[in-house]
Amino acid sequence: MLLNNSLLATSRKNKALKAAAVVDQSGRNRASESGELLQVKALLSGGSWEMGSEPPSSPQVVEEGGDEEDEELSGGEDAELRVSAGRGSVLTRRGITLRVLLKDGLVEPGDGVLSIHYLGKNFVGDLLTDGKIRWVETGQIFNSPSAWATHCKRLVNPAKKSGCGWASVRYRGEKLVQYKTSWLRKYQPSADMSLASEGEDDEMGDDEEEEGKTAVPAEEKNRKTKPELHDIGLVQRKGDRERIPVRYCTLGTRDIARDPHTLVELSAFSAINRFQPFNVAVSSNVLLLMDFHCHLTTSEVVGYLGGRWDTTTQLLTVLRAFPCRTRLADREAAPAVEEEICQNLFMRGLSLVGWYHSHPRGPALPSLQDIDSQMDHQLRLQGSSNGFQPCLGIICGPYYHGNQGVASTITPFWVVPPPEQRPNDYGIPVAVEVTYVQDNFLTTDVLNEMMLLVEFYRAAPDLVNFSQMWCPDTSILDKIKASLSGHAPKDQAYSQILEHVYNQLRSIQ
């Protein structure tokens, strides 16, 4: 999918985007505009800085999980313990840190050599020469495997109490606890081996359950080779009307043989004994532009949502839609689209708060692939933020004949992680209750965006035939007008303004 199939806009980075004005010691009270834009581009294109480029701020050193039994000694504490203990005395498991393993050559520093797999999500880290861990996704620095594991797992499952660091983090595919055991066998062969696993038996069991010993690695490999979300050919090859939604409770454990385009019915938060953890307000102009975009082509389209997240009121406000004017498989056009979205977000002082896509001829329900993508977006949007930040997914079904009337079905949704005791299940797609706010008038930038979309799809082979009849007494163009009227602003002059856009659609045929 476009933009590396990810929404990388964390709360911390979004605030830095709007202000970018951290006062430094020299008295400068504002970062340069070019630096701000560079930061936004990093958020959209994958959040990673190219080698040699300067990150927006100094890496943040995070210390979490300090109350865990397996929390390692930090700083020079481990070295001091090594000196006092010596080779001839027993070094406790707390004393065996990454610094010790590095010093004795059991592991080597390197980029991307550390990894965590938890509830279907992968995290990659760099092992630094001082024994600390740098999370590749955000550049954050963690003092220990426990701190990193706890932080990552809480992003996926906020209820997670600890990270089980040495049993969760892998070095080049092998769990770190194995290297700890190897160190003891090499340097303290006469020591009681329970020192190596003291307090880790439970961790191993917990982590093995989380990772799914045999099924998950093969499945993850398979998932990476599957077609990306919104492959246009998928819509053309598979008739959306044949995609019959299934209930989530019938899915069970992940099955690599299951069609990733299987549609899943949404659950209610109350049905899974939860409350919706945030409120959502969506502007009528957002719905109008999104609905118009989805009506133009028989192929799936995608776009992003800009807005603001208020941590005090827990309100997510969606203020602007950003349609991606590119073919979904067109990698060459992606950089230009990223640049335009970066500029638009920056100029409006908005943050990425979600995404939308269409199911042109099918129900506006998420597929298994959509569920995984939404879960990834939620995780990436939260990123390195210590506080919760939601990511809204919206599906628009413009041409599904099961819709009531001529209006598109628009479905906001979110994904709840599966229960921790069933880590290999799919995430649970839930319906999000939304307040729709009627704008006062149709803004100029929305009108301009509509015209740009018309020009982009003018020569497209999958452009909709607007003169074709949707039903015996309604053309597709009339259907579009009626659907968009449901998102009308208070100023009724909007219909006259939109008539210019409709005339452009008529001229295409």
Side-chain angles (χ1 to χ4, degrees):
M1 188 178 121
L2 183 64
L3 304 184
N4 298 325
N5 195 23
S6 62
L7 292 175
L8 303 180
T10 66
S11 298
R12 178 176 60 83
K13 290 185 177 181
N14 287 333
K15 291 177 182 178
L17 189 166
K18 286 183 278 185
V22 177
V23 179
D24 59 21
Q25 295 297 326
S26 64
R28 292 171 295 186
N29 63 0
R30 177 174 175 81
S32 66
E33 178 177 332
S34 59
E36 294 174 354
L37 291 178
L38 182 61
Q39 185 178 1
V40 185
K41 293 175 188 176
L43 302 182
L44 287 168
S45 60
S48 57
W49 295 83
E50 293 183 358
M51 189 69 73
S53 64
E54 184 179 354
S57 60
S58 300
Q60 179 184 1
V61 179
V62 178
E63 297 186 43
E64 292 191 42
D67 56 349
E68 287 190 54
E69 289 185 13
D70 70 334
E71 182 62 23
E72 303 83 6
L73 302 175
S74 58
E77 201 173 343
D78 60 282
E80 183 178 332
L81 180 59
R82 279 289 305 274
V83 172
S84 62
R87 292 282 190 219
S89 49
V90 174
L91 189 61
T92 66
R93 59 183 292 278
R94 291 186 69 246
I96 305 173
T97 66
L98 283 175
R99 288 169 60 93
V100 173
L101 298 182
L102 284 166
K103 182 176 181 181
D104 291 329
L106 273 75
V107 297
E108 297 178 350
D111 294 340
V113 296
L114 299 177
S115 63
I116 296 173
H117 179 82
Y118 180 67
L119 295 181
K121 304 304 170 188
N122 290 313
F123 304 86
V124 179
D126 304 331
L127 178 56
L128 306 181
T129 55
D130 59 359
K132 295 181 180 179
I133 299 170
R134 178 174 58 220
W135 185 16
V136 171
E137 189 68 46
T138 64
Q140 280 179 285
I141 305 297
F142 295 85
N143 282 333
S144 67
S146 296
W148 184 41
T150 299
H151 182 84
C152 292
K153 290 184 178 183
R154 284 176 180 169
L155 291 177
V156 180
N157 178 18
K160 184 68 176 172
K161 294 291 192 292
S162 63
C164 307
W166 285 79
S168 299
V169 179
R170 294 176 181 267
Y171 173 80
R172 300 189 185 279
E174 294 292 333
K175 292 185 177 182
L176 282 178
V177 69
Q178 301 299 327
Y179 290 90
K180 181 182 289 190
T181 302
S182 298
W183 186 95
L184 282 169
R185 286 174 177 165
K186 182 176 182 179
Y187 293 111
Q188 294 180 177
S190 60
D192 184 353
M193 291 308 295
S194 64
L195 290 171
S197 58
E198 175 190 355
E200 287 175 359
D201 291 339
D202 292 337
E203 295 173 5
M204 291 288 287
D206 174 63
D207 195 60
E208 292 292 356
E209 182 182 4
E210 290 167 1
E211 292 185 277
K213 289 184 181 179
T214 57
V216 172
E219 178 187 348
E220 287 299 311
K221 181 178 179 180
N222 182 277
R223 284 174 58 191
K224 290 180 180 179
T225 61
K226 290 179 181 178
E228 292 188 355
L229 181 63
H230 310 308
D231 185 346
I232 295 170
L234 296 177
V235 180
Q236 294 171 339
R237 288 195 302 268
K238 288 186 66 69
D240 279 327
R241 295 179 221 178
E242 300 173 4
R243 298 164 68 183
I244 307 301
V246 301
R247 298 181 64 185
Y248 175 81
C249 62
T250 65
L251 293 175
T253 304
R254 287 179 180 272
D255 182 359
I256 59 176
R258 189 184 292 274
D259 183 358
H261 306 106
T262 300
L263 299 179
V264 183
E265 295 179 358
L266 294 180
S267 301
F269 276 98
S270 59
I272 57 175
N273 298 318
R274 297 205 184 191
F275 292 100
Q276 183 171 311
F278 52 91
N279 299 312
V280 181
V282 179
S283 156
S284 62
N285 280 340
V286 169
L287 298 173
L288 188 144
L289 180 56
M290 177 177 64
D291 198 7
F292 180 74
H293 184 200
C294 296
H295 267 102
L296 295 180
T297 171
T298 59
S299 298
E300 288 194 29
V301 300
V302 66
Y304 292 94
L305 305 173
R308 297 187 179 92
W309 166 241
D310 190 324
T311 57
T312 302
T313 61
Q314 298 290 287
L315 175 63
L316 185 74
T317 306
V318 184
L319 300 171
R320 180 72 159 82
F322 295 94
C324 294
R325 296 190 304 275
T326 182
R327 309 306 300 188
L328 294 170
D330 187 355
R331 298 288 182 178
E332 294 182 0
V337 174
E338 292 171 5
E339 174 69 22
E340 185 174 358
I341 293 177
C342 287
Q343 294 284 347
N344 279 323
L345 283 169
F346 172 74
M347 295 303 295
R348 290 168 175 79
L350 300 177
S351 299
L352 277 169
V353 296
W355 66 303
Y356 72 85
H357 72 286
S358 67
H359 287 178
R361 297 184 294 266
L365 293 172
S367 66
L368 295 177
Q369 201 168 40
D370 295 336
I371 292 170
D372 285 339
S373 294
Q374 173 65 17
M375 193 70 230
D376 286 338
H377 293 346
Q378 289 173 192
L379 178 62
R380 292 174 180 273
L381 190 62
Q382 184 166 339
S384 62
S385 173
N386 292 323
F388 172 78
Q389 178 177 343
C391 167
L392 183 67
I394 297 180
I395 302 174
C396 179
Y399 294 117
Y400 177 51
H401 280 276
N403 293 343
Q404 295 183 353
V406 295
S408 301
T409 299
I410 294 177
T411 305
F413 76 106
W414 202 59
V415 174
V416 175
E420 193 164 326
Q421 64 271 22
R422 297 181 61 86
N424 294 325
D425 284 6
Y426 294 95
I428 308 170
V430 290
V432 174
E433 294 185 5
V434 172
T435 299
Y436 296 108
V437 180
Q438 187 179 27
D439 287 303
N440 291 323
F441 53 86
L442 186 67
T443 59
T444 303
D445 62 337
V446 170
L447 181 61
N448 289 339
E449 187 64 52
M450 294 175 75
M451 295 301 297
L452 290 172
L453 286 169
V454 171
E455 288 304 312
F456 179 79
Y457 288 106
R458 180 178 292 274
D462 50 0
L463 178 72
V464 169
N465 183 350
F466 303 108
S467 61
Q468 182 180 345
M469 300 304 292
W470 169 248
C471 60
D473 58 350
T474 305
S475 69
I476 287 183
L477 182 57
D478 291 334
K479 177 206 178 306
I480 295 175
K481 291 181 179 180
S483 185
L484 266 57
S485 68
H487 319 305
K490 295 177 182 178
D491 181 8
Q492 294 304 307
Y494 88 97
S495 57
Q496 299 175 358
I497 298 174
L498 285 184
E499 197 58 39
H500 177 62
V501 177
Y502 299 144
N503 288 333
Q504 291 296 312
L505 295 182
R506 293 189 188 96
S507 70
I508 294 177
Q509 307 302 326

